[in-house]
Each structure stands twice: as structure tokens, then as C-alpha cells.
Amino acid sequence: MSKSKGRTGAHARANIQPPPTPAELDAARREIAQIEGKLADIAAGHPSVKTWKARLRTAQAVVARAPKA
């Protein structure tokens, strides 16, 4: 049996991105508010819920990259 060497290469390193600019942060926060409003209006089983939740996660990721003040 060979010993596992763990993850090596690019997929092992964290994808570190620079913090968002204030304009990007503001746009992401507005988009989060809009998407949450749409998700509240859409029925839970609606096919577009998956798409909106994916967009919500990307906007939340931008906000999460912002430095904590």
C-alpha cells in the first residue's frame, strides 16, 4: 500500500483574493437585499430558487472578503 501524500498542487492552496473595493462592496450588499426579497416572494419549490441562491452565495462571498471594521 502506498502512503497518501495529501493534496499537492494548486488545488491545495487557498484562493486568496484582494479585498473588494467600496463600490464592489456596496453593489454586493444591494444585490443581497434584492435577491433575499426575490427569494421571499418565490415558492420554495420553484426552479429558479437554485439560481438565485447561487447568486446570493457569490454576493455574500464578496462581502465576506471585506476587512472587518
Side-chain angles (χ1 to χ4, degrees):
M1 304 253 315
S2 62
K3 182 180 172 191
S4 172
K5 295 181 180 175
R7 292 183 174 218
T8 58
H11 60 277
R13 293 187 282 279
N15 183 13
I16 299 171
Q17 297 176 332
T21 63
E24 288 175 329
L25 197 57
D26 187 45
R29 286 189 175 134
R30 271 186 310 210
E31 188 173 6
I32 288 171
Q34 288 175 343
I35 292 172
E36 285 175 343
K38 285 185 183 186
L39 285 173
D41 293 340
I42 298 174
H46 196 277
S48 67
V49 168
K50 193 183 290 187
T51 305
W52 286 113
K53 284 191 176 181
R55 287 184 60 184
L56 179 63
R57 278 192 301 275
T58 57
Q60 288 171 332
V62 171
V63 173
R65 280 193 351 242
K68 306 292 184 248

